Amino acid sequence: MNLPADVQNIISILESNGHEAYAVGGCVRDCILGKVPHDWDITTSALPEQVKALFSHTFDTGIEHGTVTVLMHGIGYEVTTYRVDGKYEDGRHPKEVTFTASLEEDLKRRDFTINAMAYNDSKGLVDLFGGESDLQTGIIKAVGDPMERFTEDALRMLRALRFSAQLGFEIEADTYEAIKKLAPTLERISAERIQVEMVKLVTSDHPEKIRDIYDTGLSKVFFPEFDVMMECDQVNKHHIYSVGEHTIVSMTLAPADKVLRLAMMLHDIAKPACKTVDENGQNHFKMHPVKGAEMARDFMRRLKFDNDTTDKVCILVKNHDDRPEITPRNIRRLIIRVGRDNFDSLLAVKRADCLAQSMYHREEKLAYIDAMEKEYHKIIADEDCLAIKDLKVSGKDLIQMGVPQGQKIGEILKALFDEVVDDPNLNNRDYLLKRIEGMVK
Ligand code: ATP
Ligand code: MG
């Protein structure tokens, strides 16, 4: 295993001062997989004060948990003292952590075998629970008794699904059974921590593993809408899957971007609530995008997503099924509705949605999206007016022409903007000034 020079350096400084030190956890796992770790964690027998005394640039990140960040060449390395987690009384946080001199104790408290390996150049790989073999066969397995481990910390259940999605691994049978039994206890975990794991799951290489949140019962706790989608079939020629399966397939067909994958996850959230049956037994889902944007917002609020992500996702949900006739005017209006910066995302959402439907009219549907994209590019290339600030006149002109400051200015600009969106040729200063004269007379 090739440790970066800084990591080797930290480890040898600790070792030459009589301590043990190893790279540990995610970085060891990623190295064995041939991936480049995104950060390096070090575990050591040295106490936090001893670590701090040995390095010139450190700061206290989680000193009460034994973590000191050592800064080298501008990169932070978390150096954590070997520890045993005390009793978890609430299924969330250990009551206290105790430092220990034993690497084995430290590895035992970790969640999964693949995350419980340590390495340094002098001792080689320390793999006490069969992590390397589980990595080779692609298995997520709890360290020790899964029922105990998930009772200590309920978040580990969702982490198991998240790692299985990131690595494309299966969850070992006993571990999976324990998740099914203890799923309701996820209720103790904060929305923020659930959000972190869900984002990692949905932006992974295997977003289809989201199916397991339903199969294990975890979604019941924080995403009951997903259960309803999984249990909602759709009888109509556009679809071959239930709402939930269609949603899952569409997620696999969208680029691995947070907003896009969340938009796919939520795009049909309101279909069950909007479902009707016509006289031929066919299902319809009128207004599901509008209602869906509301439900998506509600879900994202609950999981404490930031406003920016929430707004973007909700715009995509709301407009995912807009299908205006392709005219320059209609596409300009659509760009204005979703926002220019979101338009590429809207096209990606539409394509993923289409490809997760039946073959019925598939070619026509894709050709329609292509035509929409083409028109969009033309509008951008032509620099058509897409915002009031793109008008060739401004509020200043209106004031100079004697319009009193206030609401009236906004109204006039909006009226001119509407005209110009319909016909970009009208965005010339002379014409607009004449129009204003006519309006204020
Ligand atoms: P990532 O690539 O997502 O950072 P990671 O394995 O490094 O994956 P972290 O959440 O950064 O995951 O945690 C670092 C290590 O700490 C894990 O590899 C694992 O050994 C241990 N760990 C983290 N969270 C828990 C937990 N809830 N219970 C037990 N051990 C945990
Ligand atoms: Mg990590």
Side-chain angles (χ1 to χ4, degrees):
M1 199 173 295
N2 262 333
L3 300 180
D6 285 344
V7 174
Q8 283 205 36
N9 192 16
I10 294 172
I11 291 176
S12 40
I13 289 174
L14 285 160
E15 284 183 332
S16 59
N17 284 276
H19 307 292
E20 295 175 14
Y22 297 82
V24 72
C27 58
V28 175
R29 176 199 70 219
D30 289 347
C31 273
I32 296 176
L33 287 171
K35 296 185 186 174
V36 180
H38 56 84
D39 47 28
W40 290 85
D41 295 328
I42 292 156
T43 188
T44 180
S45 59
L47 294 168
E49 292 307 322
Q50 296 174 314
V51 174
K52 281 163 70 171
L54 289 173
F55 298 94
S56 46
H57 298 288
T58 67
F59 45 99
D60 296 357
T61 3
I63 198 85
E64 70 283 14
H65 297 113
T67 303
V68 172
T69 297
V70 173
L71 208 61
M72 289 223 168
H73 301 109
I75 301 175
Y77 298 91
E78 290 197 351
V79 179
T80 305
T81 305
Y82 292 167
R83 64 175 217 228
V84 196
D85 292 340
K87 275 227 171 326
Y88 285 72
E89 293 188 336
D90 54 0
R92 275 187 303 199
H93 303 294
K95 203 170 154 241
E96 76 277 294
V97 304
T98 322
F99 300 135
T100 164
S102 151
L103 173 65
E104 178 175 356
E105 287 296 322
D106 182 83
L107 294 177
K108 257 198 207 156
R109 72 167 170 93
R110 295 175 183 271
D111 47 8
F112 305 109
T113 60
I114 60 167
N115 288 344
M117 291 180 280
Y119 174 89
N120 69 23
D121 284 341
S122 48
K123 293 282 164 53
L125 186 70
V126 181
D127 175 17
L128 306 175
F129 312 105
E132 192 177 20
S133 124
D134 287 344
L135 263 187
Q136 259 136 26
T137 41
I139 286 172
I140 309 291
K141 181 170 181 247
V143 173
D145 175 8
M147 288 294 284
E148 266 174 38
R149 305 314 309 285
F150 297 145
T151 305
E152 285 167 2
D153 179 1
L155 185 71
R156 291 174 187 154
M157 299 188 283
L158 197 51
R159 283 173 60 87
L161 271 56
R162 180 266 271 202
F163 284 116
S164 124
Q166 286 181 321
L167 302 168
F169 284 14
E170 293 303 315
I171 299 172
E172 177 268 338
D174 287 345
T175 301
Y176 197 82
E177 280 311 304
I179 297 176
K180 277 181 143 174
K181 288 204 184 94
L182 295 170
T185 64
L186 186 70
E187 170 216 37
R188 301 167 183 165
I189 301 299
S190 73
E192 289 85 348
R193 297 178 78 204
I194 292 177
Q195 184 212 116
V196 168
E197 298 302 326
M198 278 304 287
V199 166
K200 289 185 175 175
L201 190 159
V202 305
T203 56
S204 71
D205 281 351
H206 296 276
E208 72 279 5
K209 295 279 186 185
I210 196 177
R211 191 179 289 110
D212 283 331
I213 68 170
Y214 173 70
D215 291 342
T216 54
L218 288 169
S219 49
K220 210 176 233 140
V221 177
F222 68 96
F223 193 11
E225 298 94 330
F226 191 70
D227 295 24
V228 179
M229 287 194 269
M230 290 301 287
E231 287 157 15
C232 179
D233 59 4
Q234 21 188 12
V235 183
N236 85 30
K237 48 195 182 313
H238 297 284
H239 285 283
I240 45 175
Y241 300 122
S242 68
V243 173
E245 282 301 326
H246 160 74
T247 295
I248 293 171
V249 174
S250 77
M251 289 172 75
T252 67
L253 295 167
D257 165 83
K258 174 171 156 179
V259 166
L260 284 177
R261 289 276 174 86
L262 289 170
M264 294 329 295
M265 180 177 89
L266 297 167
H267 78 286
D268 278 349
I269 188 172
K271 267 194 167 179
C274 297
K275 180 169 163 176
T276 56
V277 190
D278 69 17
E279 59 282 6
N280 303 315
Q282 301 286 298
N283 292 142
H284 301 276
F285 305 94
K286 293 236 164 63
M287 298 297 286
H288 78 274
V290 173
K291 170 94 178 135
E294 284 168 26
M295 290 177 69
R297 188 168 293 279
D298 188 64
F299 167 78
M300 293 185 76
R301 280 259 159 78
R302 229 160 53 222
L303 279 203
K304 307 265 166 68
F305 276 93
D306 63 275
N307 291 336
D308 182 53
T309 307
T310 304
D311 290 344
K312 284 184 174 140
V313 169
C314 292
I315 284 174
L316 295 171
V317 172
K318 190 171 181 179
N319 295 283
H320 80 268
D321 205 28
D322 287 7
R323 276 170 281 134
E325 186 198 338
I326 307 241
T327 64
R329 168 182 190 283
N330 286 348
I331 301 309
R332 267 182 237 119
R333 296 226 172 256
L334 182 58
I335 299 169
I336 293 163
R337 262 203 310 285
V338 303
R340 191 186 153 166
D341 293 344
N342 297 320
F343 207 83
D344 282 315
S345 299
L346 182 72
L347 293 166
V349 165
K350 283 180 158 295
R351 288 197 169 103
D353 186 13
C354 174
L355 293 171
Q357 297 176 4
S358 70
M359 291 305 289
Y360 178 75
H361 286 186
R362 162 96 39 113
E363 291 307 314
E364 290 90 324
K365 290 176 186 173
L366 289 175
Y368 172 85
I369 302 167
D370 290 345
M372 179 180 275
E373 180 165 39
K374 211 168 148 202
E375 190 57 50
Y376 160 64
H377 285 150
K378 178 163 188 312
I379 289 165
I380 298 303
D382 289 350
E383 298 181 356
D384 288 356
C385 171
L386 295 169
I388 288 186
K389 68 167 175 44
D390 300 335
L391 283 173
K392 293 283 198 282
V393 293
S394 69
K396 253 193 213 147
D397 297 312
L398 290 168
I399 291 164
Q400 267 170 16
M401 293 168 77
V403 183
Q405 241 154 352
Q407 211 181 333
K408 187 84 185 153
I409 296 205
E411 282 168 17
I412 293 178
L413 288 175
K414 175 73 174 61
L416 296 176
F417 178 62
D418 272 338
E419 285 184 32
V420 165
V421 172
D422 284 347
D423 182 357
N425 291 322
L426 302 183
N427 195 16
N428 85 61
R429 206 168 149 76
D430 290 345
Y431 170 81
L432 293 174
L433 291 172
K434 280 210 187 83
R435 279 288 290 131
I436 298 167
E437 273 173 21
M439 285 162 125
V440 297
K441 255 185 205 143

